[in-house]
Amino acid sequence: MKVLVLGAGVIGVTSAWYLNAAGHQVTVLERQPGVALETSFANGGQVSVSHAEPWANPHVFSQLLRWFGREDAPLLWRWRVDPAQLAWGLRFLRECTPGRTQANVAAIVALALYSRERLQTLRDELGLHYDQLARGILHVYTDPRAYALALEAARLMRQFGLDREPVDVDACLRIEPALTEARHLLVGGDYTPSDESGDAHLFTRQLAERAAAAGVVFRHGIQVDRMAAAGGRVAGVIASDGQSTDLYTADAYVVALGSHAPGLLRPLGVGLPIYPAKGYSATLTLADGAVAPSVSITDDERRLVFSRLGNRLRVAGTAEFNGFNLALNEVRCRALIERAQRLFPRLEVEGEPQFWCGLRPATPSNVPVIGRARRYANLWLNAGHGTLGWTMACGSGAALADLMSGRRARAAFPFLC
């Protein structure tokens, strides 16, 4: 088939790679001048199956009460005159029951485990290098209540095949000695040795280069305006390059536009429960001899991650629900640095931190939407990965290519078809 992929973030590029490998003729449209320049640009860097517990869970209400009124809260909800935000929030509440949480964890873990396997295979086959480290992910806790809840979540994930095991404070320090100065803060942790970290932007760039060499056509600087449909099929995509508007046609269309997917699909009568969750990051250049972590760390209580990317440390996380606002909040940026200094007081850096924010496409359940749109035979969706886009990218792309090629996807996940 001739396939048109909309979006060249990590989800769009992995989709294009696997579709091309399956024998399809693939063109990718992207509004930015290069790949992975929006949400995939400076994320937390974790390939983290261990982060599978959704934000919507039975314990979130007590957390929200503790965070209420704090500008630096891990989850910050800014009320807007926005029906989409209200509808998303109501669906989020519905996902907080124990039964829904368990089903969502099962789906996320299944896709994430499959995706991590596909990433490792792809890395070995193509010889990709993106500051990756296969040293696991260590979750650390400074609050006994939060630690007790985390042990419940880890126990559930182990039932679905993830090696997330509890560890005491001494074990935390053996796994990551850079935490030694913060020993007095810690009450325990859990460790997933099979998880990884790496630079999603570097990975996506390298994969796009390999895809282009294999025949995938990338068209940059193309703004997708709308989709035309007739007779239960998409007839084409109307897009512009700033000077002219053209109609792009294909046999099949893949929407991998993250938070922007609902706006494009709404006129077609296709509703997606996706809302942008703004995440922040700070990238620190490490001085020679800096005492910095080399194992990726997750600070669950602050919803922050710390990933070593070569001579850089990426500090990232939190979620701000504020529509498509991309303004950097100084308080939230400063909170990243303060927490890094608190956990790693001997951290020495060169220059100023590079702050960034991106709009993560979140579903209320944290389960992405992957498969064929029900109203259109040739319209396919790969969106809504939230904080786990990098973790789920390869598995999502590989599964989508299987589905579009008439094969059964190998992950035990609720695909749309």
Side-chain angles (χ1 to χ4, degrees):
M1 290 188 298
K2 181 180 178 183
V3 181
L4 194 64
V5 176
L6 309 182
V10 68
I11 300 298
V13 171
T14 50
S15 298
W17 170 266
Y18 286 106
L19 284 165
N20 181 76
H24 303 294
Q25 182 183 346
V26 183
T27 298
V28 181
L29 301 186
E30 167 59 44
R31 67 178 180 176
Q32 296 291 349
V35 304
L37 292 179
E38 294 193 21
T39 308
S40 304
F41 182 70
N43 68 6
Q46 290 188 337
V47 180
S48 51
V49 185
S50 58
H51 204 63
E53 185 181 23
W55 286 79
N57 62 69
H59 313 298
V60 73
F61 300 108
S62 61
Q63 294 172 330
L64 291 175
L65 287 175
R66 292 201 306 272
W67 297 335
F68 182 75
R70 285 176 43 191
E71 190 66 19
D72 64 346
L75 192 156
L76 179 61
W77 184 275
R78 297 193 187 278
W79 285 104
R80 303 168 59 89
V81 183
D82 184 354
Q85 186 193 55
L86 176 60
W88 191 96
L90 292 174
R91 295 185 69 162
F92 178 88
L93 295 177
R94 190 178 69 185
E95 296 294 334
C96 292
T97 65
R100 292 301 308 149
T101 299
Q102 180 163 332
N104 293 335
V105 169
I108 293 167
V109 169
L111 181 58
L113 284 172
Y114 173 62
S115 188
R116 193 178 64 193
E117 172 197 330
R118 299 306 302 165
L119 169 64
Q120 293 167 347
T121 299
L122 192 63
R123 179 176 67 224
D124 293 342
E125 289 177 348
L126 300 182
L128 301 176
H129 299 281
Y130 45 90
D131 286 334
Q132 68 266 24
L133 290 174
R135 297 180 181 175
I137 291 178
L138 174 66
H139 288 65
V140 296
Y141 303 89
T142 57
D143 183 296
R145 293 173 301 171
Y147 186 38
L149 294 177
L151 293 180
E152 290 181 23
R155 190 158 45 243
L156 177 60
M157 292 179 201
R158 287 197 298 275
Q159 292 177 17
F160 298 122
L162 179 65
D163 55 336
R164 181 175 167 179
E165 298 290 344
V167 291
D168 61 18
V169 173
D170 288 336
C172 288
L173 303 186
R174 287 195 297 271
I175 294 167
E176 182 42 77
L179 286 165
T180 299
E181 299 292 332
R183 181 192 182 98
H184 63 288
L185 298 174
L186 305 181
V187 297
D190 58 65
Y191 180 51
T192 309
S194 58
D195 273 346
E196 301 186 357
S197 59
D199 191 322
H201 177 235
L202 288 180
F203 168 84
T204 309
R205 279 174 43 198
Q206 290 186 24
L207 186 60
E209 291 170 0
R210 303 299 181 89
V216 175
V217 175
F218 288 87
R219 298 289 305 276
H220 294 290
I222 305 295
Q223 174 67 48
V224 175
D225 298 321
R226 60 188 178 89
M227 304 184 83
R233 295 181 65 84
V234 173
V237 169
I238 294 90
S240 61
D241 62 3
Q243 297 180 341
S244 62
T245 299
D246 296 296
L247 176 67
Y248 294 83
T249 62
D251 301 313
Y253 302 81
V254 175
V255 176
L257 291 171
S259 297
H260 298 280
L264 178 67
L265 295 173
R266 196 172 296 118
L268 298 182
V270 177
L272 289 182
I274 293 173
Y275 197 80
K278 181 163 65 172
Y280 287 76
S281 77
T283 304
L284 311 175
T285 300
L286 299 173
D288 290 342
V291 180
S294 60
V295 171
S296 190
I297 304 290
T298 295
D299 178 359
D300 262 339
E301 293 150 69
R302 301 298 179 93
R303 292 296 194 271
L304 294 180
V305 304
F306 304 82
S307 293
R308 183 71 167 266
L309 305 173
N311 71 331
R312 301 167 295 153
L313 181 66
R314 176 75 46 78
V315 186
T318 76
E320 178 184 343
F321 291 86
N322 192 19
F324 288 85
N325 182 305
L326 274 169
L328 285 169
N329 181 307
E330 183 179 346
V331 173
R332 298 179 76 76
C333 290
R334 186 168 62 248
L336 301 179
I337 303 303
E338 289 174 352
R339 190 58 170 177
Q341 293 172 335
R342 182 84 165 141
L343 289 178
F344 309 105
R346 295 176 60 192
L347 191 68
E348 297 181 26
V349 302
E350 295 179 348
E352 296 297 319
Q354 295 178 329
F355 293 109
W356 171 89
C357 63
L359 302 176
R360 297 171 300 197
T363 65
S365 63
N366 287 141
V367 177
V369 181
I370 306 170
R372 193 202 310 264
R374 289 183 174 87
R375 296 185 60 173
Y376 299 93
N378 63 339
L379 176 60
W380 298 80
L381 311 174
N382 196 1
H385 296 75
T387 59
L388 294 179
W390 176 208
T391 298
M392 296 181 175
C394 288
S396 299
L400 186 72
D402 282 340
L403 294 172
M404 293 180 68
S405 303
R407 299 188 295 266
R408 182 178 179 179
R410 286 188 281 162
F413 181 84
F415 298 105
L416 296 181
C417 66

